[in-house]
């Protein structure tokens, strides 16, 4: 007992050092969170699918390149459209909503699920770019003037009255 009381400072230093050495391993054990660099590796090496679970308006402000928008409220209905043969990485603004989505999907049999640690905020904090989702170009709607419609109708009428 004298050893412990005489060396209490040394014991605290030893225990503290052991905890500091184990801290990186303990952080990695958190349920499938990936750093932004790890997300890039997963996409490039394993063709991971990026799923942004924010609502459409938030998604349209910018997301990771190649991300698909499936709002968390629609996720259960979209489970059949998710691939089972590649990793799924869930994204939200700060990581919390994505963590819930990953848990929901993992409970349905998807094994390789991850979450972007810190979400979009963490991505931006690491000075990584966001992309705007691609939207289909809008075709201009052409309305014929009344005069143009009448001319077209007269032209069709004259073709139908002349047999060939």
């Amino acid at each position: 007992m004298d050893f412990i009381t005489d060396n209490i400072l040394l014991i605290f230093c030893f225990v503290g050092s052991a905890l500091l050495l184990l801290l990186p391993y303990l952080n990695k054990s958190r349920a499938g969170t990936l750093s932004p660099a790890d997300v890039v590796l997963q996409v490039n090496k394993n063709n991971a699918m990026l799923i942004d679970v924010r609502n459409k308006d938030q998604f349209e402000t910018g997301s990771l390149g190649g991300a698909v928008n499936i709002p968390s409220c629609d996720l259960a209905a979209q489970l059949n459209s998710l691939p089972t043969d590649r990793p799924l990485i869930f994204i939200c603004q700060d990581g919390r909503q994505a963590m819930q989505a990953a848990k929901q999907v993992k409970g349905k049999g998807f094994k390789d699920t991850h979450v972007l640690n810190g979400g979009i905020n963490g991505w931006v904090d690491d000075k990584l770019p966001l992309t705007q989702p691609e939207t289909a170009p809008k075709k201009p709607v052409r309305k014929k003037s009344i005069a143009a419609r009448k001319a077209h109708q007269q032209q069709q009428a004259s073709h139908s009255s002349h047999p060939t």
Side-chain angles (χ1 to χ4, degrees):
M1 189 70 175
D2 287 338
F3 177 79
I4 294 174
T5 55
D6 290 344
N7 297 302
I8 192 75
L9 185 59
L10 182 63
I11 292 170
F12 279 126
C13 287
F14 175 75
V15 171
S17 297
L19 288 175
L20 287 175
L21 287 172
L22 291 174
L23 190 61
Y25 298 106
L26 295 174
N27 274 342
K28 288 210 181 229
S29 69
R30 282 182 32 202
T33 60
L34 297 175
S35 70
D38 290 334
V39 167
V40 173
L41 287 173
Q42 282 286 328
V43 169
N44 291 336
K45 286 186 175 183
N46 300 322
N47 193 28
M49 180 178 187
L50 301 173
I51 303 168
D52 193 323
V53 296
R54 298 175 300 159
N55 67 42
K56 184 180 179 209
D57 292 338
Q58 291 172 319
F59 177 72
E60 288 177 351
T61 64
S63 189
L64 279 62
V68 175
N69 183 223
I70 304 176
S72 57
C73 59
D74 298 335
L75 190 58
Q78 297 287 329
L79 284 178
N80 291 336
S81 69
L82 299 178
T84 56
D85 60 342
R86 54 194 267 218
L88 304 177
I89 301 174
F90 293 91
I91 304 160
C92 69
Q93 196 64 42
D94 59 13
R96 290 180 287 185
Q97 189 178 13
M99 185 64 74
Q100 293 299 324
K103 286 179 184 175
Q104 177 185 359
V105 169
K106 199 166 199 135
K108 301 293 183 189
F110 293 86
K111 291 179 178 48
D112 202 359
T113 61
H114 307 278
V115 173
L116 171 59
N117 192 21
I120 295 292
N121 295 341
W123 186 265
V124 171
D125 287 347
D126 280 6
K127 312 251 184 297
L128 295 167
L130 295 177
T131 60
Q132 300 299 317
E134 294 181 20
T135 56
K138 294 180 180 174
K139 295 180 183 178
V141 177
R142 293 187 178 175
K143 293 184 178 179
K144 291 184 181 180
S145 67
I146 295 173
R149 272 190 255 144
K150 283 184 179 180
H152 181 72
Q153 289 170 349
Q154 288 174 350
Q155 188 179 22
Q156 284 184 336
S158 67
H159 285 295
S160 64
S161 64
H162 297 310
T164 54

